[in-house]
Amino acid sequence: MVTRTRARREAKRADAALRRGDKRPLLGVPYGAKDLLAAKGAPTTWGAPPFRDQTFDSDATAIRKLDRAGAVLAAKLAMVELAGGGGYRYPSASLQGPGLNPWNTERWSGGSSSGSAAAVAGGLVPYALGSETSGSIGTPSAYCGITGVRPTYGLVSRHGAMALSWTLDKIGPMARTADDAALVLAAIAGADPNDPTSSGKRFRALDPSSVRARLPRLRVAFAEEDIIDHASPEAKDALERGVDEFRRIAPTFVRATLPEDLPYGPMVGTVYGAEGATIFAELIEGDRFEELIDARQKAGLRAALDIRARDYLQAMRLRARLSAAFTDLFKEADVILSVGRAITATLIAQPLDAPGVTASNPPPSKRPGNIGLIPAGNLAGLPAIFFPCGFASDGMPVGLQLVGPAFSEPLLLAIVSAYQRETDHHSKRPGEPAQELEPAATI
């Protein structure tokens, strides 16, 4: 939904500031926000029919901070209902319908930050805010060929955002480039007395020259089976080329993998299932619950009410073990490189539980490598950056992800910025012939 009145008011204020010589980097730059972030003057529907008329009289902290930076809120952007709480079977699980991928509108833009990714990839806004509980920034970024940042848990305040999982939810920027995402992250990171989980830490970009000197010595953990064993036939070649390009800027690869005996998908599902069912218990047990769109999601939310305390606590114990494993892994490597998604964007009508759509828990016949990095990284609260690395044989974007220790966002963004200075995948735009492409405008 376009926020016309608010955008015009903020744009006029930005024009006046520009005439005074104000040089704030986001001043006057329009953006969109996922519709789980409260914003005055616009509905905040959480993508769900029961909340279609919901409004708030104050801004979420992330939006308030962007307002202070002079940015212009141009739109509230579509999302999967309740950010996918309970699980869902079809991309159409949204008040606004399925997110259409600008590269091919018969394909999905990914969930649950579907509108944020589509708006950036389609050139409607230079950047947007998304959120991630387990993959909701990463998957849309990979499917739409944009750069998305999942911050460390606690770096960005969640005050004023719909809660799905108190111990997993994170808000981050989605943009064309790492440099643009860094500008946004600098604006929204930091302390917030209204969010008790806020770390109080800020984000400051690194000097590119210092990063260039470090890249040859940077230890990059990589498991070749992430592509060899798990990538779809359409995506495999492009992902391999992307890794080769990355190796040219950071050549020191080491082998380091996640523990093979932890069920990352069930672990994260148990945590956000139990927490989400508690958050939405009144809705689940109320009269408007049947207004939700996806039958599987309704069944999942009901079932989550019955998750046993012992199962939740066991998942939290395993989570602590996982965090310790990451600590050990980062003694051997500085960052972890893997695929953003091992497949390209799914068809709008394709069930999301179809074979090959998810690979968080690979079958025993395949080496797991680091293919479970999205749920594992979210469970550990670690930062990640997802970035495009080319196009698959079906014409759809593919991307990689880079994960680092807690609060290593400056390093992650600097590495991908260096990669994007040597490649042009991030500059590609839907609907333009390859030979006519020009570099994408940046903030």
Side-chain angles (χ1 to χ4, degrees), residues 34 36 77-85 87-94 97-101 107-118 130-144 164 174 272 297 340-341 343-348 352 357 374 378 386:
K34 185 175 180 177
L36 55 61
L77 300 171
M79 58 181 281
V80 172
E81 56 184 353
L82 306 183
Y88 53 102
R89 191 165 193 237
Y90 291 102
S92 58
S94 172
L100 305 184
N101 196 308
R107 302 287 190 105
W108 189 34
S109 61
S112 66
S113 304
S114 48
S116 298
S131 73
E132 175 154 322
T133 304
S134 184
S136 291
I137 288 175
T139 295
S141 295
Y143 281 2
C144 291
L164 173 59
M174 303 169 76
Y272 79 67
Q297 184 168 21
R341 286 298 302 263
I343 60 173
T344 55
T346 55
L347 292 166
I348 289 293
L352 299 176
V357 170
I374 286 179
N378 277 285
F386 298 82

Side-chain angles (χ1 to χ4, degrees), residues 5 17 30 54 59 69 104 166 233 236 279 313 318 340 366 426 439:
T5 301
Q54 177 174 247
D59 289 339
N104 180 344
W166 297 294
K236 183 176 181 181
I279 291 164
L313 292 172
L318 292 175
K366 293 186 177 182
H426 59 283

Side-chain angles (χ1 to χ4, degrees), residues 145-401:
I146 64 170
T147 303
V149 177
R150 179 189 77 218
T152 304
Y153 179 82
L155 181 67
V156 177
S157 170
R158 301 172 300 173
H159 176 70
M162 185 207 86
L164 173 59
S165 174
W166 297 294
T167 65
L168 288 167
D169 295 343
K170 297 159 288 290
I171 295 167
M174 303 169 76
R176 285 196 173 273
T177 69
D179 290 343
D180 286 355
L183 292 174
V184 180
L185 189 58
I188 64 175
D192 179 14
N194 293 313
D195 181 355
T197 67
S198 173
S199 67
K201 294 183 179 293
R202 297 195 60 82
F203 167 83
R204 179 176 295 177
L206 295 177
D207 177 26
S209 61
S210 67
V211 177
R212 281 195 298 271
R214 184 177 175 183
L215 284 173
R217 303 187 306 276
L218 189 80
R219 298 169 301 167
V220 180
F222 178 69
E224 63 177 14
E225 57 266 35
D226 291 359
I227 297 176
I228 293 174
D229 289 8
H230 299 283
S232 68
E234 297 82 7
K236 183 176 181 181
D237 288 348
L239 289 169
E240 288 179 337
R241 287 194 298 271
V243 170
D244 288 342
E245 291 171 340
F246 193 92
R247 197 187 292 267
R248 288 200 289 271
I249 69 158
T252 308
F253 274 39
V254 298
R255 179 170 177 81
T257 61
L258 299 169
E260 295 186 9
D261 59 343
L262 292 179
Y264 304 112
M267 285 166 63
V268 80
T270 298
V271 172
Y272 79 67
E275 294 179 1
T278 302
I279 291 164
F280 293 115
E282 184 177 348
L283 171 67
I284 298 168
E285 297 171 339
D287 296 335
R288 304 197 68 181
F289 181 67
E290 289 301 326
E291 295 180 29
L292 294 178
I293 294 164
D294 194 269
R296 177 181 171 184
Q297 184 168 21
K298 287 184 281 191
L301 286 166
R302 287 193 193 96
L305 284 175
D306 296 325
I307 292 175
R308 298 178 301 177
R310 62 184 289 184
D311 294 331
Y312 176 78
L313 292 172
Q314 176 63 5
M316 296 299 278
R317 291 188 187 102
L318 292 175
R319 191 175 180 181
R321 181 178 152 200
L322 171 63
S323 294
F326 269 116
T327 298
D328 290 340
L329 192 155
F330 286 122
K331 293 176 183 176
E332 306 298 324
D334 299 303
V335 294
I336 308 169
L337 179 69
S338 185
V339 298
R341 286 298 302 263
I343 60 173
T344 55
T346 55
L347 292 166
I348 289 293
Q350 180 178 351
L352 299 176
D353 52 2
V357 170
T358 181
S360 296
N361 291 283
S365 60
K366 293 186 177 182
R367 296 173 294 170
N370 291 320
I371 203 66
L373 195 54
I374 286 179
N378 277 285
L379 285 162
L382 299 179
I385 181 167
F386 298 82
F387 56 100
C389 70
F391 291 84
S393 60
D394 60 4
M396 300 303 294
V398 295
L400 301 171
Q401 67 168 307

Side-chain angles (χ1 to χ4, degrees), residues 360-442:
S360 296
N361 291 283
S365 60
K366 293 186 177 182
R367 296 173 294 170
N370 291 320
I371 203 66
L373 195 54
I374 286 179
N378 277 285
L379 285 162
L382 299 179
I385 181 167
F386 298 82
F387 56 100
C389 70
F391 291 84
S393 60
D394 60 4
M396 300 303 294
V398 295
L400 301 171
Q401 67 168 307
L402 202 62
V403 174
F407 303 108
S408 63
E409 287 88 347
L411 177 62
L412 297 178
L413 281 153
I415 295 168
V416 175
S417 176
Y419 174 85
Q420 291 179 336
R421 285 195 296 273
E422 299 298 324
T423 60
D424 65 352
H425 309 302
H426 59 283
S427 71
K428 301 292 193 290
R429 297 173 181 268
E432 292 183 353
Q435 66 271 22
E436 297 179 9
L437 287 171
E438 296 179 358
T442 58

